[in-house]
Amino acid sequence: MDRTAEPIVVNDNGAWCWFQDERALVDPETQTLVVGSIAAAEGPGGEARSGNVELAVVDLRTGASEVVVLHERLEVDDHDVPALWRRADGRWLAVYTKHKTDDLTRWRISEPGDPTAWGPERTFDWGPHTEGRGVTYSNLRAMGGRLYCFARAVNDDQCALVSDDEGETWAYAGKLFTRPKIGYVNGYTRYAEGGDRIDLVTTDHHPRDFDNSIYHGYLQDGALHRSDGTVLDPKALDGEAPSQEGLTTVLEAGSLWGGERMSHCWTTDIRRTENGGLAAILTARAGEELDLDRKRAAPDLRFFYARMAPGGAWTVNELAKAGPGLMPHEEDYTGLAAIDPYDLGSVFISTPIDPRDGSALAHREIFHGRAAAAGRFWAWTPVTENSEVDNLRPIVAPGDPSRVPLLWFRGPMTASQHYRCEIVLRDLPRA
């Protein structure tokens, strides 16, 4: 891949969490890229801009970017970033929440073909279901002509709203899975759509509270299935939900890799192609002793690459070292990784350890990986080098299979509420 194209800044103040999708999306007809983010007080604009839910609307033909505010000063927290959807009528849908500090899912719908002009904000109140304990995250996925918005809500479990009019109105559907809560919240789930189903990977709980494994399942024909197609819940989102432990285990806590114990696993990315290909990137702590001291900042986090065969069997391989925890109080945070939605053997990672030779780097850099042998071997190319700041949380925006719009943000980040980062784009035609 040609890496001569210099990235351009599309928003001078912003960051995102990674449990909302799509955070960035391309309209192939107008060659417009839209990417959501949250502004922080440390960046340009200061307190007056702090907590803004923003969209950078980028003309991919010229690189010109316009920043649009969906909600002024909602909350200073990268968890509030919107999920985006392009409707059949040419309008855009943006859905967002606070980080468990109220019970509202918020949404706005744009004018036809114009993601710079938006209608009024509307809300769905989860309060009768959550008993006032808050809602977090938004994930927009479609299946069977119905749009789903997955969120962490009732009992901090994965739940869903459904819409049969492309986001004009929403109704509560139910819980996807549940179990007694340990610590902060229940499982962390990533979703991918493709064909006539929605795939997911999920954890038990938060990795700082529990020695997580990673599980996979999929929704199809109203049922929740394991990887091999057997049914865990014949009436998904209807009534009592099962535990995610009944799904297929992809990466098991306590498994040994090169003689090292992997623990506290977390989900990072999942992508499904229209022809049925499925891949996920996961993380784990390496070398933890059996006491699993959750207060120690993890010094050796690892990326894993998982690929599912048509029959449901998983092949999992170590991808690269992810370095120490990004923040002392969040020992399992990494710089993250992203799968190209149109090429599952192409990934981008953020790491302070060069995957080519294992050398330590001054900052987290972005590397492009190309897989061989179902993910056992990778050829690595640097996207960024000799940076003066960290390069974090890459995204490859879907929407146009002819191009690779790679986004990330760069700058210091000390907490989900404190960062001084700018969002950059490197957009190249697909080779």
Side-chain angles (χ1 to χ4, degrees), residues 92-106:
W92 291 73
L93 168 69
V95 184
Y96 44 100
T97 72
K98 287 187 173 183
H99 186 191
K100 243 185 121 175
T101 55
D102 71 18
D103 296 292
L104 300 179
T105 284
R106 299 162 169 86

Side-chain angles (χ1 to χ4, degrees), residues 272-285:
R272 180 178 177 83
T273 59
E274 289 297 325
N275 65 5
L278 185 69
I281 295 179
L282 318 167
T283 64
R285 300 185 199 177

Side-chain angles (χ1 to χ4, degrees), residues 85 141-148 150 163-164 193-199 218-223 237:
W85 181 262
R141 297 298 185 208
M143 178 177 61
R146 170 171 278 189
L147 186 60
Y148 292 77
F150 295 98
S163 175
D164 293 317
E193 69 177 61
D196 59 351
R197 64 192 243 182
I198 297 172
D199 285 79
Y218 64 91
L219 289 163
Q220 187 177 48
D221 297 329
L237 299 169

